[in-house]
Amino acid sequence: MFYAIIAEDHPNSLENRKANRPAHLARLHALKEDGRLLLAGPHPAIDSPDPGPAGFSGSLVVAEFDSLDAAEAWAAADPYQSGGVYARVTVKPFLKVLP
């Protein structure tokens, strides 16, 4: 089943985000290589594809896991969690309808 991992950043977390991005992306690439990643990306803090110093307000990952517990464990191990980027993370089952 798919799960949505919805994360909200701490204020002013852009430098922590930059520092932890390579390790964060490596985990996402591993999900993609396993055929389990549906989509992933950040939420710009302003209405722009390049928010510059405004940074980001959070992230969304939708990926396939064996269970809610497995999705929560994966999310808890994210470098953005330990690196001080995420203030809050919610994991919910996700049912893909379209496309």
Side-chain angles (χ1 to χ4, degrees):
M1 178 163 198
F2 286 111
Y3 294 88
I5 300 168
I6 307 151
E8 297 175 36
D9 286 14
H10 285 286
N12 304 310
S13 63
L14 184 57
E15 291 307 313
N16 287 345
R17 184 178 269 273
K18 288 178 182 178
N20 289 281
R21 189 169 191 260
H24 171 77
L25 288 179
R27 297 179 81 237
L28 292 172
H29 284 292
L31 283 177
K32 181 182 175 189
E33 290 169 10
D34 288 346
R36 297 170 41 210
L37 183 64
L38 184 62
L39 64 89
H43 301 284
I46 60 173
D47 189 13
S48 172
D50 181 3
F56 300 90
S57 63
S59 299
L60 172 65
V61 174
V62 179
E64 189 174 18
F65 294 93
D66 291 334
S67 66
L68 179 59
D69 287 342
E72 288 173 337
W74 188 92
D78 194 298
Y80 280 0
Q81 284 273 50
S82 58
V85 176
Y86 291 156
R88 179 178 161 189
V89 176
T90 303
V91 181
K92 297 180 179 185
F94 179 82
L95 183 60
K96 182 179 184 263
V97 175
L98 293 171

